[in-house]
């Protein structure tokens, strides 16, 4: 399962995926689908740019997303 998301606090977001809480629907999704490994990040100054990039990536086929993550993390 591949997930794409935007966060202003990466450390907290990774923790939420590792330790799901009933009050956090996204974390519950991560637990149900066993999404527990961070393989790629991009940083943006503006939230709107991060959201636009997220939407762009979500429109890609799985193979292209894997190619992107493997380009910076070949041992994934």
């Amino acid at each position: 399962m591949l997930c794409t998301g935007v966060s202003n606090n990466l450390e907290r977001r990774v923790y939420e995926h590792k330790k799901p809480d009933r009050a956090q629907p996204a974390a519950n999704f991560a637990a149900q689908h066993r999404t527990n490994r961070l393989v790629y990040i991009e940083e943006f100054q503006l939230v709107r740019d991060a959201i636009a990039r997220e939407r762009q990536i979500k429109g890609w086929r799985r193979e292209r997303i894997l190619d992107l993550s493997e380009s910076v993390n070949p041992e994934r």
Side-chain angles (χ1 to χ4, degrees):
M1 166 67 65
L2 296 174
C3 290
T4 304
V6 174
S7 178
N8 64 353
N9 185 328
L10 184 59
E11 185 176 328
R12 182 197 75 229
R13 193 69 191 107
V14 169
Y15 176 80
E16 289 171 353
H17 276 270
K18 297 284 186 184
K19 302 290 183 187
D21 177 355
R22 291 185 188 276
Q24 298 290 331
N28 290 334
F29 176 89
Q32 290 171 355
H33 296 280
R34 291 184 262 155
T35 55
N36 59 9
R37 188 178 343 155
L38 179 65
V39 294
Y40 181 80
I41 65 167
E42 290 183 29
E43 293 185 53
F44 295 88
Q45 293 297 314
L46 302 175
V47 172
R48 71 172 183 252
D49 293 341
I51 292 169
R53 179 64 168 159
E54 176 190 18
R55 287 181 180 152
Q56 179 185 41
I57 291 171
K58 282 186 174 185
W60 292 356
R61 294 179 154 253
R62 180 181 178 84
E63 181 179 295
R64 186 170 179 190
I65 296 170
L66 291 174
D67 288 344
L68 176 65
S69 70
E70 290 173 358
S71 71
V72 295
N73 190 13
E75 296 177 18
R76 184 184 67 87

